[in-house]
DNA sequence: GAGTGTGAAAACATTCACAGCT
DNA sequence: AGCTGTGAATGTTTTCACACTC
């Protein structure tokens, strides 16, 4: 399929999942079928084929997908090829955890700055980086062409931090503070609210065995 | 609307969001309109009304929703009323962050146990709880009727931890390990993969201004 | 006038089922 | 025989638009 039209949102959400599936293949196999991916990702196999077809004609009929080609294409489509830089604002427990989280580098992201408003934390090292004051956000963004800002501050300052990030040229924000940031045009915001995840689980508690509207 | 039919998945995902919106109302207002909620939650206002209508007839035409009634109903529907218990397995950076994360108690969840396989961590206190060995998971689950298990271990042990949790009677798992857990019938699993969130943001980087399929 | 609740329409997403390639 | 890619069918979600209530 020729790729002019843009990829559906629902598909974009699953692409990282497929990438994860590939990483999880223990054996050194070379090819994989949509059925196998579907099994690991827990989705329908037609779904996998349709999703992957948005990336181009990647598979071989009767055979399957070449793992290395597929991985490359997924990374390309997701824009992971040239190691995006990110900074973390708020180096409390969560911020530290993120700073030391191995998964980011593994997936091609580079944390290039840690920032905190607490003077007591300045110059401390976390995950190999020194904690800097908020005033240096702008410089770091310029210097490293930072693509993504990760907010791990308390909720009450998240909004002003978001504005600071945007004024430093950042276009994408991953927000861990449990607050809804205001919409800014042209800025991508994703929020991960840990409590909300628990709340969703809570809804399905004990109802799981009953028929739930798919 | 009488509520026999079950609430759509997409709606369930948004209910915690609406709850968050209410918490965020700084002023001591008593009522709120779907339009206002929509603005904060960044969704369409008809969506808000449709979603809330699944919980019953909560609003008053011409007036709006009573905030306290609405909050109560949201909490009821999500099953948050009787303070669910959760345990955390893996007390590394992320596990510690979760253990000390205030948002959980605030939203009515109670962390009642921390577990780690590292003997060096045993008996240390984190967030007011002592770290226990994995062998005690089962006892704690029974004693506190633990509803939810939170996995914050390295990926390579996540699967076996999941099985241990299930065999201790846990029906809902929140998985932070970057690995796809196998499906178990009757068990609810939600995964939060931090890298995947960044990857999704990465896709929309610099494409945001272009027309992206909604 | 303001704002809900909801049919009906539109948009989007998933799944089936099979032709076509290896 | 096995597996992809994709029309067509189906299912789900969102949005419109308006009757109805306060």
């Amino acid at each position: 399929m020729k790729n002019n039209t843009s990829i559906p949102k629902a598909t974009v959400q699953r692409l990282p999942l497929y990438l994860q599936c590939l990483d999880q293949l223990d054996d050194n196999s070379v090819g994989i079928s949509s059925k196998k991916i579907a099994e690991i990702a827990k989705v329908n196999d037609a779904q996998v084929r349709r999703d992957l077809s948005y990336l181009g004609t990647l598979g071989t009929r009767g055979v399957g997908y070449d793992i290395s080609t597929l991985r490359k294409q997924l990374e390309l489509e997701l824009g992971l090829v040239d190691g995006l830089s990110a900074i973390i604002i708020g180096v409390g427990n969560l911020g530290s955890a993120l700073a030391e989280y191995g998964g980011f580098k593994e997936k091609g992201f580079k944390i290039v700055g840690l920032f905190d408003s607490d003077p007591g934390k300045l110059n401390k090292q976390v995950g190999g980086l020194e904690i800097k004051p908020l005033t240096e956000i702008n410089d770091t963004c310029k210097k490293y062409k930072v693509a993504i800002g990760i907010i791990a501050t308390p909720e009450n300052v998240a909004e002003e931090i978001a504005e600071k990030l945007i004024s430093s040229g950042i276009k994408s924000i991953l927000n861990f503070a449990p607050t809804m940031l205001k919409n800014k045009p042209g800025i991508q915001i994703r929020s991960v609210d840990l409590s909300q995840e628990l709340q969703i689980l809570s809804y399905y508690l004990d109802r799981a065995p009953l028929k739930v509207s798919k």
Side-chain angles (χ1 to χ4, degrees), chain A:
Chain A
M1 186 212 193
K2 215 68 244 297
N3 185 6
N4 330 334
T5 72
S6 91
I7 299 181
K9 260 168 90 160
T11 294
V12 171
Q13 297 244 30
R14 279 187 297 268
L15 296 183
L17 205 75
Y18 298 148
L19 204 44
Q20 171 63 42
C21 289
L22 298 187
D23 289 346
Q24 212 158 318
L25 261 33
D26 37 22
D27 49 1
N28 37 15
S29 42
V30 152
I32 190 167
S33 67
S34 60
K35 190 143 163 284
K36 189 76 197 296
I37 296 177
E39 187 193 319
I40 303 175
K42 285 176 268 185
V43 298
N44 180 289
D45 61 323
Q47 176 107 262
V48 173
R49 292 198 296 280
R50 168 114 26 218
D51 284 343
L52 296 183
S53 80
Y54 289 115
L55 312 191
T57 303
L58 291 169
T60 310
R61 288 173 192 233
V63 178
Y65 300 89
D66 176 69
I67 293 175
S68 119
T69 309
L70 185 49
R71 175 180 286 118
K72 246 169 239 150
Q73 199 56 36
L74 283 166
E75 288 172 348
L76 181 64
E77 196 63 47
L78 288 167
L80 303 176
V81 278
D82 25 53
L84 292 176
S85 297
I87 58 175
I88 296 172
I89 299 88
V91 195
N93 287 306
L94 185 56
S96 302
L98 294 169
E100 298 185 333
Y101 180 59
F104 290 152
K105 7 192 179 289
E106 205 176 277
K107 292 286 150 77
F109 296 100
K110 211 158 96 185
I111 307 295
V112 298
L114 306 179
F115 301 91
D116 204 294
S117 62
D118 178 358
K121 287 183 184 160
L122 299 185
N123 306 319
K124 280 195 181 174
Q125 293 257 136
V126 177
L129 282 170
E130 204 171 89
I131 300 174
K132 299 273 173 72
L134 304 183
T135 48
E136 292 190 26
I137 290 177
N138 191 51
D139 280 357
T140 301
C141 285
K142 297 298 184 295
K143 188 167 162 198
Y144 292 102
K145 296 207 178 78
V146 172
I148 299 175
I150 303 176
I151 298 180
T153 65
E155 57 202 281
N156 57 315
V157 296
E159 184 68 42
E160 65 177 282
I161 294 293
E163 306 203 345
K164 203 176 190 68
L165 292 176
I166 293 167
S167 78
S168 299
I170 281 182
K171 294 281 196 320
S172 287
I173 294 176
L174 183 55
N175 174 41
F176 285 94
T179 188
M180 321 246 29
L181 298 176
K182 293 200 196 94
N183 228 348
K184 310 277 164 164
I187 307 295
Q188 282 293 322
I189 299 179
R190 271 188 87 75
S191 285
V192 178
D193 187 320
L194 305 172
S195 306
Q196 287 190 19
E197 299 296 330
L198 279 190
Q199 290 174 49
I200 294 169
L201 266 181
S202 170
Y203 175 84
Y204 290 110
L205 252 187
D206 273 359
R207 309 189 201 205
L210 304 176
K211 181 64 190 164
V212 137
S213 103
K214 176 53 218 270

